[in-house]
Each structure stands twice: as C-alpha cells, then as structure tokens.
Amino acid sequence: MEVTVPSMIPDGPIITPSRTKRRVFPADASIILVGCRGAGKRTLGFIAAKHLGRRLVTEDHSFEQSTGCSRAAFLQKYGRETFNQQMAIVLARMINLNQVNCVIECGTGTLSPIIEEILRDYLETNPIIYIHRDKEDLYKLLKLPVTDAERLLITDQKHRDFSNLEYFNLLDPSGEGHVTEDSPVRSALTSSAKLVYAKQDFKNFLDHIFGHGLTRSWVSNPFSIKAIPPEYRTYTYILNLRLSTLINVNVDLAILEAPAEAVELIIDTWPNNVLDIIATQVALIRRKLDVPIIYNVEENPREERKRPIEERDSVDLELMLHGFRLGVEYLSLDLERNPELVSHVLAMRGRTKILGNYVVKGFGAPKWTDEFYIERYLYAQRLGCNIVRFARFCAAARDDVLRQAFVDRVRALPDPKPCLIAYDFSVFGVVIPFQDKIMNPVGHDYLEKSSREQMAGVSTTRGSLRDVFRKGGLQPLNFYTLGSNVYYSASPSMHRAAYEHYMMPHTFDARRCTTLEEVDRIRQEPGFGGASLTAPFKVAIMERLDHLSTHAVAIGAVNTLLPLRGETDSILDHANARNRAGVASKFYGDNTDWSSIVTCLCRAISPRNSVQPSRTTGLVIGAGGMARAAIYALIKLGCRMIFIHNRTKAKADEVARHFNTYALEQKLVRQHDGELICHVIESASDPWPDSYQQPTMVVSCIPASGIDDKPPVDFRMPSQWLKSPTGGVVIELAYEPLITPLVVQVRKIREEGNTSWVIVDGLEVVGEMAMEAFELMTGRQAPRRLMRRVCNETWEKTCAPFQPQR
C-alpha cells in the first residue's frame, strides 16, 4: 500500500493548544450526571462524591427547596408546561451555584429543549456524564410494560446530544446475600458489601477523566502494574479483540484472565444500536479483565461491505468520538486517513492517548532504513501522538538489523518524543512475537482466530514470554517466602501456578530462616527475584534496605523484598529489570499486608457499616507487624477511632504511639484538641469504652504459633466487645489452623441470630497478599481466579483434613 505524507508539514503542532483542551476539565469542575430513571445516577453520585471528597447535589432536593413541594406534586398541580419551565429554572440555578467541587445528579426531567440548552452551555467546562444500563435490567427494575420501557430507552439516548462523557452501568450482583462455601470447614463468607465492582469501575472512570489514575497508582506504589503504562514497560502485549467476535461468539471474558497488558478493541462491524453495544463491551472488558483499552475503528474491515468515503468518514468519526466519550485509555488513529478527520479526532482527545498507526502493506514495502519511516514518525510527533506504531508487511525474510537501526535512530532523537512500536507482519500475522519489546499484538488460546484478523496470528502472551525466556531476553529467577514458621505457607503453590500461566520458568519456595544473615545470603544470590517476609523479619530488616515505600515507612514493617537491578536510579529502570538475573547491590522494601486487608474489608463490609470517620470504630488484636498493617489499613479506609489489645501492654503502647504520631504528621487529627487515633485496651476484662461505638471492623493478628509476647493462639474475644447492633466484619489472619477460637465464637454469634457479622478467614487474606506480591515481583498482572482456586485446593489437600469441624 502506498503511504503518503502531506507535502506541507508545519513546524509547530498541527492542532492549536486551545483546541486540544476538549474533554480536559479543571480539577475542581463539578460532575453532572444525566440519564433516565433507574440508570443508577444517585448511587453513582454517592460513589463519586465519596471518592472525590465532594458534596452531592440532587435535583429532587433542589426542586423541593425552591418550590416547597416535590416534583410529582408540582406536576400534578400546575401541569407539564409550567413544570418544565420550573425545572429549567431550578436546574440553571442548581448548576450555577455548584459549578465546582460538587457531584450534581439531574433527575428525569432533563429532556425538555430548554434544559438541553442549559446543559449544552456547560459542555466545555464540566464533565456531563450520560449514565445508562442494560435494557433488560432496566425492565426488571422499573417494572414497566415493554412498550413503555422501549419508548423510555429511545428517548433516553437523546442524552448523548448534550453530554460529553458516557458510562455504561454494568450490573453488579455483589452484596445480594450469597454465601460462598469453599469447604464445609471454611468460614461462611457472606458478601455483604454491595456494588463492590461497580464502585471500583466508576472510581477508575473518574480518575481517568480527571487525569488522576496514574498519579494515584504511582503514589500508592511506583512498582505496581498500574503505575507504569504498558508503553513504558518491556515485553508487553496487546490482546486483539474484535467487536464482531464479541457479538457473534458467546465469550465469557473472565476466562481470558490476565491475557495481556492491554486490550485492543477493534470496531470492525456496524450493527444496529452499535453505540450501546460498544459501551457494553467496554464496560465488560474493564470489569472482567481490568486492563487499559486501545480503541481502534477499522477503516476497511474484512468481510464487511465497501462504504463510500463520505459515509466511511462520518460513521467512523462518530465511532471514534464515542470511544473518547467512554473514556478509553488509548485510541489507535490511522494517520493516512482524511486529514480533516485526523484533525477533528486529535482536537477532541481529552485524556485519551493517541496511538498514531501506520500499516505498510504490499510486496514493495520500503525497508526499515528508508527515510519513509523517520518522516512519518516525525509527522506523528508533530501531530501530538503519544505512541507511533509501524506494522510493515514482510514477504521475504525479515531484516532485524535494519529494523533495529531504525529503532536506534528514533531513540537518538531528543526527548520528549512518542514511544515507538515497530514490527514486521506477514499473511500469518506478526512475523516474530518478540521482535519489538512493547505492545506486540497477540491472540488467546480460548479464542478461535478470526478470518478478519491480520496482526495477532497464532501468538499468545504466554507463548511469547516462553520464547523470550528461551532466547535469554529474560532469565529464570528464584522467589521465596522467608520466615521462622513457613512450613504451612500457601504462597508457593499460588506463585507456581501463576508462573505456569505465563510459562515463566521461575521457582518459588518457602524457606525457613531464623536470622537476618540467612536472609542476606539468599538475597545476594544472582538468581534472587524477590521474597515475601514473615516474622521475625518484617521490622528487623528495614535498616538493611536501601529504599522503602511510603507504606512501609508509615507502618514500620516490610513484607515484600525486591532486588533493584536497574542500570540507573530511575524507578522505571528498576521496574523493567524485573525478571532479569544478576547480583543486586540495592534492595527495596514494601508492605502490601495493609492493602490486602483493605481489599477484604471492602468486599465484606455492609452499607449500614460503611466507614464514617466521626463514628466508625475498629479493633485490632495483637501488636506485631501484621497488627501495624491492620491499623494502617483502617486508617486508609477513613477510620479515626482504633483500639489495640495485646497481652503485653507495652508493645501495644509502642504501636499506638507510632500511629498517633503518624496521624499528627499527616494532619488526620487536630493537634490542639489532643485527639488520638489509636487507643489501648489494657485487659480483656475491660468493658468497651462508653464514649465510643462498638467496633464494626475487627482484625485479629495473632500468629498461629503464638510466638513472642503476642496473645496466645487460643485467645477468646471478650463478648462485651462484640455487641455491635449492626454486626460488622471480623478478619482472622491466622489460617493454620483456619478454624480458630475467634472464628468459632463469631460463628456462634451468627447462629444465635446476629447474621450481620461477616467472617473473613486467613486464607482469603493470604490469597490477596500472594496476588499483589506476584505483580510486584514479576511486573505481570496476577491471574487472580487461578491463584485463588489453587490456594483453596492446596489448603484442601494439605490442611483441611486436620481442621476442627466447628
């Protein structure tokens, strides 16, 4: 295919700065939610307000404040015309008075022409998000006749005309009272928390549209897979998913877990209601796979009719802008398309990164050293592309030396510059799956190869990684769980299963160590990849490490040890040196115990017990490294009243002082009022303090072995501390034995009628810890369903036969 470059290439950016600001809003701009009745605006409004620390303003409340009566009463009394006029007055005043730091929920009366014009005035300054959901779910929720519901949905789609963003509110069944019985002796874990997945989905969406997502991830943990975009990591892959496949084949995306670093959603068909179908598939990819989306509107899909150029450009432009509305992370833009279309797309990008795409077809494709490629790269740079991708048709033997020469030439250009992707492809797809180190296209074993697919071929992420290790691009490493009592650890089986998932030849072992010198010898080995640390090393090793995460410093304990093998002091260099062998001279310590506890609490805590800083009380049993992580987790959730009980009061006092100092430094409490965030309960016979509510979050951090001065493993929770009328969550961190006296005690409380207490056993928490450790150590997304299943199976085989039944 002949590729041309415009004869006139301007010296500066193609798109003027003023036009590149579309869908980029001030950080304090109020969010406006629109959509039909039953779409979930109020619920998502609460989620957004809590996540962003804003005030929720509802149209219902504003209308009653303004008129003194409800909307229904006003409509009945004055009629539709007067009602619409009054609605316009209320809406205009409501938005005008709350233009910053609010979440504004608009009701069902937003479809009159006057109101549409009011909202259009805010399209450039505020995110106006159209909320909609599956029509079948809406039918069930509203209990409307089908004809009325269809009419409502058709009318509802008009919201797209005066909104600039769109969110498909996917059904979330969490919190519907289901019980998971992994084993007859496992604790009955009732998932009381509602909308666990919906909350995370919408918070991620909000972070993207305000540009907070990467910052939040980086601040939380710079080595996490979400802190470094896939274009800046090495040996990353893109799973190609075609809309035609998703529509025509019944694919449960959940079985494709951890398939690649991103998904390229290729729009290659145009069914009726295509915008809703795309919105649904984007929501499903986010929910099931949790990876960034590259949105690609294919110009001339195979097996589709040939479209006139006018139709092609207008339809494809609408589809591309729809991707921006959905907040996709990347959009693949063919830079050979109509320049007006390209300019329009670039002007409306918002927070979405642009992947400038060149597919060089034909038997006469220029060689990699031809000026053709550097000219097009520079043109894409001037357009403002974030990434430039070249896919060159290769009919004969490829020439990696010439391709590398082109890559080196681009690398020598001054920064900042777009990331480069360059590879050869043939009629069978990509010629070699690891020719380029970033964002190579792959398929999946569970998906049949589509006749429409040109690039992915038969390559998969796991097969490609296996070849990279075989060729020496990455090296096998040894990972460990280190501690004095690790014989029963469930981590090795989970990590090994994850390595097999990716075909990575790593090993993982539980190694008993009693001295820091033993740990030092292991971490100095050239093949050391990382370790999970248990007692007695979590606190003791800190002074021997070169760098500590902010969480490790705040907690005063480390549970994850990583070697730093980067050639420079850059975190990116160190992150990309994972899966590479060599003697490490520097080490990084992190603590992920707290985030695993947070995850389990968020899954289990009921809406009536949602954390309120002024009221919610937490209780931690123990004062070791895990107790420190539990306290930090409660603080991160917003709990400001935490009680500690430990058999040795001096140890509890020390931990309380540590976190009270931390709270003052972080300005979580008012210093002049003498407020404390942590308090110590000296004796198990003490009553619960009258001035505080009963705890609704209880974390027992007693080790199974009962070592040191911590409470013994047969510790009984004083019954006077478990009197919360709304129940709560009890997390038992010990899992050998799994059925501890505390678990038996809470089970009895449930059997006596207080079923609002939820038990989270130690196996649930250790599974989360292993998944997060795997991601930090390898830089790959954890196959969570697989690791969770292996965790349960391992425990069933090795521990369950010896567990008490009650």
Side-chain angles (χ1 to χ4, degrees):
M1 182 173 81
E2 184 66 27
V3 184
T4 59
V5 175
S7 56
M8 294 295 292
I9 299 179
D11 294 330
I14 305 297
I15 305 301
T16 59
S18 62
R19 295 193 61 210
T20 63
K21 297 298 183 183
R22 304 287 179 85
R23 269 184 270 267
V24 177
F25 309 103
D28 60 353
S30 288
I31 298 167
I32 303 171
L33 305 180
V34 299
C36 75
R37 179 163 56 101
K41 301 185 299 296
R42 180 72 54 87
T43 300
L44 295 176
F46 276 117
I47 293 170
K50 185 172 183 179
H51 179 58
L52 299 174
R54 299 185 175 192
R55 188 164 54 91
L56 178 63
V57 179
T58 68
E59 195 175 77
D60 286 342
H61 181 69
S62 298
F63 192 93
E64 289 192 25
Q65 273 193 324
S66 177
T67 64
C69 63
S70 68
R71 294 191 306 172
F74 190 96
L75 176 62
Q76 185 176 13
K77 184 175 182 180
Y78 297 104
R80 173 63 64 180
E81 185 176 352
T82 305
F83 172 77
N84 286 343
Q85 293 173 353
Q86 186 62 39
M87 279 290 298
I89 294 171
V90 169
L91 182 68
R93 184 173 185 272
M94 178 176 68
I95 298 178
N96 184 56
L97 294 177
N98 301 285
Q99 292 185 46
V100 296
N101 292 322
C102 291
V103 179
I104 302 172
E105 182 238 338
C106 295
T108 57
T110 57
L111 290 175
S112 70
I114 304 174
I115 290 177
E116 291 178 22
E117 286 304 314
I118 292 171
L119 288 170
R120 282 195 179 94
D121 288 341
Y122 291 92
L123 284 172
E124 292 294 324
T125 58
N126 293 76
I128 303 177
I129 307 174
Y130 166 42
I131 309 293
H132 60 119
R133 68 192 314 163
D134 182 75
K135 66 178 182 180
E136 297 297 333
D137 296 334
L138 202 61
Y139 293 164
K140 295 175 185 177
L141 181 68
L142 299 180
K143 299 177 181 178
L144 293 175
V146 174
T147 53
D148 290 349
E150 290 284 0
R151 191 181 306 115
L152 175 66
L153 289 170
I154 292 171
T155 305
D156 178 53
Q157 291 183 357
K158 293 181 181 178
H159 284 106
R160 284 196 174 107
D161 297 335
F162 51 89
S163 58
N164 45 34
L165 292 160
E166 186 168 328
Y167 182 80
F168 185 83
N169 191 11
L170 199 63
L171 177 67
D172 184 353
S174 61
E176 294 184 351
H178 61 278
V179 177
T180 56
E181 297 284 357
D182 293 310
S183 160
V185 297
R186 288 288 301 275
S187 302
L189 174 60
T190 303
S191 181
S192 295
K194 291 186 176 181
L195 305 177
V196 173
Y197 305 111
K199 287 178 184 176
Q200 194 57 54
D201 290 347
F202 196 52
K203 288 192 290 187
N204 290 343
F205 179 79
L206 294 173
D207 284 345
H208 173 73
I209 65 176
F210 280 109
H212 295 159
L214 190 61
T215 303
R216 287 185 191 272
S217 298
W218 182 270
V219 170
S220 178
N221 194 324
F223 284 95
S224 71
I225 57 174
K226 292 191 176 180
I228 304 175
E231 65 267 29
Y232 291 106
R233 288 150 44 199
T234 55
Y235 298 110
T236 52
Y237 302 92
I238 301 171
L239 174 66
N240 281 12
L241 280 180
R242 293 185 163 271
L243 185 63
S244 57
T245 300
L246 297 175
I247 292 173
N248 298 322
V249 180
N250 187 18
V251 179
D252 179 7
L253 292 177
I255 68 172
L256 309 180
E257 69 169 348
E261 279 64 46
V263 162
E264 184 152 0
L265 177 60
I266 302 169
I267 312 303
D268 63 343
T269 186
W270 320 285
N272 293 331
N273 209 24
V274 64
L275 299 184
D276 286 343
I277 291 172
I278 292 172
T280 304
Q281 294 303 327
V282 166
L284 285 168
I285 291 169
R286 285 171 169 159
R287 175 75 55 84
K288 303 284 189 176
L289 301 181
D290 191 26
V291 293
I293 295 173
I294 302 171
Y295 186 86
N296 184 350
V297 178
E298 206 163 59
E299 183 177 9
N300 294 303
R302 294 179 177 179
E303 302 178 15
E304 293 286 346
R305 66 180 177 83
K306 297 296 182 183
R307 301 172 292 171
I309 187 168
E310 296 81 6
E311 176 193 348
R312 188 172 64 210
D313 284 353
S314 63
V315 170
D316 289 359
L317 176 60
E318 182 183 15
L319 291 172
M320 290 181 195
L321 297 182
H322 187 56
F324 290 152
R325 287 175 54 83
L326 295 170
V328 296
E329 289 81 3
Y330 303 85
L331 183 135
S332 174
L333 178 60
D334 186 346
L335 297 183
E336 303 165 272
R337 298 198 64 157
N338 183 333
E340 290 185 8
L341 180 147
V342 171
S343 294
H344 196 152
V345 170
L346 290 169
M348 301 297 288
R349 74 180 82 179
R351 301 283 182 184
T352 297
K353 295 180 183 179
I354 299 297
L355 190 158
N357 202 40
Y358 292 105
V359 179
V360 188
K361 298 180 180 179
F363 290 99
K367 293 184 178 181
W368 284 111
T369 49
D370 196 294
E371 287 299 309
F372 172 94
Y373 296 99
I374 199 70
E375 288 174 2
R376 279 143 187 82
Y377 178 87
L378 294 173
Y379 176 57
Q381 182 179 26
R382 289 176 180 170
L383 285 172
C385 294
N386 305 92
I387 306 170
V388 184
R389 177 168 63 185
F390 291 96
R392 172 186 173 272
F393 182 77
C394 178
R398 70 183 190 280
D399 193 329
D400 287 339
V401 174
L402 296 184
R403 191 199 69 87
Q404 189 59 47
F406 167 61
V407 172
D408 292 341
R409 186 175 176 187
V410 170
R411 192 174 294 159
L413 294 173
D415 291 323
K417 56 180 177 284
C419 294
L420 173 67
I421 305 170
Y423 52 77
D424 293 304
F425 74 99
S426 71
V427 293
F428 302 108
V430 176
V431 170
I432 185 166
F434 51 87
Q435 185 181 25
D436 195 61
K437 288 186 178 181
I438 66 168
M439 302 177 82
N440 282 292
V442 295
H444 197 283
D445 292 333
Y446 285 113
L447 297 174
E448 290 187 15
K449 187 179 184 305
S450 170
S451 58
R452 300 180 179 221
E453 181 57 54
Q454 302 177 56
M455 296 296 170
V458 296
S459 302
T460 63
T461 296
R462 63 198 307 262
S464 300
L465 280 174
R466 177 187 58 190
D467 288 343
V468 170
F469 275 97
R470 285 178 175 175
K471 296 287 186 180
L474 301 174
Q475 292 86 45
L477 298 175
N478 304 313
F479 297 87
Y480 303 91
T481 287
L482 303 177
S484 63
N485 194 13
V486 295
Y487 68 93
Y488 60 86
S489 175
S491 293
S493 59
M494 287 186 280
H495 283 267
R496 291 168 191 160
Y499 300 153
E500 175 60 27
H501 172 85
Y502 282 111
M503 292 189 177
M504 296 190 296
H506 297 321
T507 66
F508 195 105
D509 295 298
R511 181 79 61 87
R512 185 177 186 274
C513 299
T514 57
T515 67
L516 283 172
E517 287 68 32
E518 291 176 274
V519 175
D520 288 342
R521 282 196 294 272
I522 291 172
R523 67 189 176 106
Q524 293 301 332
E525 295 172 356
F528 175 73
S532 296
L533 302 178
T534 65
F537 303 121
K538 290 189 174 185
V539 177
I541 201 171
M542 292 182 70
E543 63 182 16
R544 299 192 179 201
L545 302 182
D546 303 278
H547 301 282
L548 296 169
S549 72
T550 55
H551 305 301
V553 173
I555 295 169
V558 163
N559 81 324
T560 304
L561 177 63
L562 299 178
L564 300 178
R565 294 193 173 102
E567 295 180 358
T568 71
D569 288 334
S570 161
I571 288 178
L572 183 60
D573 264 5
H574 290 312
N576 282 329
R578 287 178 287 199
N579 303 294
R580 288 189 170 91
V583 175
S585 60
K586 294 184 178 181
F587 294 86
Y588 176 80
D590 201 353
N591 193 304
T592 60
D593 289 336
W594 73 274
S595 52
S596 302
I597 294 170
V598 164
T599 298
C600 292
L601 282 171
C602 289
R603 271 206 299 256
I605 199 160
S606 65
R608 67 195 306 197
N609 287 326
S610 60
V611 178
Q612 301 176 48
S614 61
R615 301 177 60 190
T616 301
T617 304
L619 171 62
V620 175
I621 307 299
M626 284 301 298
R628 286 170 171 263
I631 294 167
Y632 187 68
L634 295 176
I635 291 173
K636 284 293 186 179
L637 281 173
C639 184
R640 297 294 178 261
M641 290 169 281
I642 302 167
F643 286 82
I644 308 168
H645 173 68
N646 191 57
R647 188 175 68 174
T648 304
K649 181 176 180 293
K651 192 74 175 291
D653 287 337
E654 178 188 340
V655 173
R657 280 195 300 272
H658 174 86
F659 283 103
N660 284 330
T661 301
Y662 170 79
L664 284 173
E665 291 172 348
Q666 300 296 315
K667 299 181 180 179
L668 303 178
V669 294
R670 295 188 292 266
Q671 184 172 5
H672 62 275
D673 290 343
E675 290 184 2
L676 298 176
I677 207 166
C678 288
H679 313 266
V680 174
I681 301 183
E682 184 171 354
S683 170
S685 61
D686 289 349
W688 189 258
D690 291 334
S691 55
Y692 295 89
Q693 288 192 352
Q694 283 274 331
T696 53
M697 294 184 291
V698 179
V699 187
S700 174
C701 306
I702 305 170
S705 57
I707 58 174
D708 297 334
D709 60 351
K710 302 175 183 69
V713 74
D714 62 349
F715 171 78
R716 286 341 189 248
M717 182 73 70
S719 59
Q720 69 270 22
W721 298 354
L722 292 173
K723 297 292 185 182
S724 167
T726 58
V729 180
V730 173
I731 293 184
E732 172 59 275
L733 293 179
Y735 67 94
E736 181 51 38
L738 194 67
I739 310 304
T740 63
L742 177 59
V743 169
V744 173
Q745 186 179 2
V746 178
R747 278 183 171 182
K748 186 176 180 181
I749 293 173
R750 287 176 55 85
E751 290 168 358
E752 290 173 352
N754 192 351
T755 56
S756 51
W757 279 104
V758 178
I759 308 168
V760 179
D761 63 36
L763 212 58
E764 195 77 16
V765 183
V766 79
E768 291 297 328
M769 292 176 182
M771 295 171 206
E772 190 158 353
F774 173 84
E775 293 185 346
L776 289 177
M777 292 174 182
T778 66
R780 300 279 164 192
Q781 185 185 34
R784 292 180 171 270
R785 293 202 327 172
L786 170 65
M787 293 181 75
R788 195 173 285 117
R789 186 182 75 246
V790 169
C791 177
N792 291 336
E793 289 173 354
T794 302
W795 181 84
E796 289 276 355
K797 293 176 183 177
T798 60
C799 301
F802 309 103
Q803 297 292 314
Q805 296 298 303
R806 295 299 303 161

